[in-house]
Amino acid sequence: MLAVKRPVVAPPLQADRAAMGAEDRPAKQPRLGPVAEAANVIIQLESAEGRQAGPALDVPHSVTPLQLEVLLNGLLQNDEKTPYSFYIEGQELAGELGEHLRKQQVSVEQSLRVVYMPQAVFRVRPVARCTASMPGHAESVLAVQFSPDGKRLASGSGDTTLRLW
């Protein structure tokens, strides 16, 4: 087989640019505001102790604390969804991230440190069944108190009785 040599031609876009004179080139686009230019912000979620919760994340300006909470629970692999509050430079994030950054005049040229704090450290679960019982009261025990020496226990019940144990 014979090899055919073809001339090397630049792609049309590059060739068109090279052929254009300065007067033929389109004018530069007007600059948009900072939020429109950068629709996303790179954030780093950190605990109050400084532990990072995963890698830096590229999030939109419209992200809300509720969305950050869902994201953080996923990063921390929480079985039960924990409510969190978020702080940027000591100010709590209450609405959209972009609006907060505008109001607080926070620079986003570098990765933004977002500190998270759990709003509820523990959860109270309702008692679904009796786990243990002690005979002596006809109704539910409402209060218990040990004596000062720790040898006796007093219990008060809904049946208006007081028992010393």
Side-chain angles (χ1 to χ4, degrees):
M1 254 196 199
L2 294 172
V4 177
K5 289 189 177 183
R6 295 184 182 171
V8 177
V9 178
L13 186 58
Q14 289 179 355
D16 291 343
R17 284 185 186 163
M20 281 185 188
E23 64 280 349
D24 296 330
R25 290 193 183 134
K28 287 189 175 182
Q29 294 289 329
R31 291 193 63 102
L32 301 174
V35 174
E37 280 184 15
N40 290 350
V41 178
I42 296 176
I43 64 168
Q44 178 64 59
L45 293 168
E46 294 181 5
S47 68
E49 295 81 31
R51 286 188 308 264
Q52 295 181 350
L57 303 167
D58 189 10
V59 298
H61 270 84
S62 60
V63 72
T64 63
L66 185 58
Q67 292 168 326
L68 288 175
E69 186 178 295
V70 171
L71 181 66
L72 181 61
N73 275 306
L75 286 171
L76 297 177
Q77 298 176 347
N78 292 339
D79 291 333
E80 291 188 23
K81 302 307 175 202
T82 304
Y84 290 95
S85 55
F86 299 92
Y87 298 87
I88 300 168
E89 294 184 357
Q91 299 291 322
E92 185 173 4
L93 177 64
E96 288 188 358
L97 178 63
E99 190 62 32
H100 178 84
L101 297 176
R102 269 192 299 279
K103 285 181 183 176
Q104 302 300 322
Q105 298 178 350
V106 177
S107 171
V108 291
E109 290 183 13
Q110 295 180 351
S111 179
L112 186 64
R113 182 175 174 254
V114 178
V115 176
Y116 63 89
M117 297 178 83
Q119 291 180 342
V121 178
F122 61 91
R123 292 192 182 268
V124 177
R125 293 186 182 141
V127 176
R129 58 187 170 91
C130 180
T131 56
S133 64
M134 241 168 71
H137 288 293
E139 290 190 23
S140 300
V141 174
L142 303 175
V144 293
Q145 180 71 45
F146 280 101
S147 65
D149 63 2
K151 293 182 179 179
R152 294 218 168 242
L153 177 71
S155 61
S157 171
D159 62 4
T160 67
T161 61
L162 174 71
R163 300 275 180 181
L164 295 175
W165 307 89

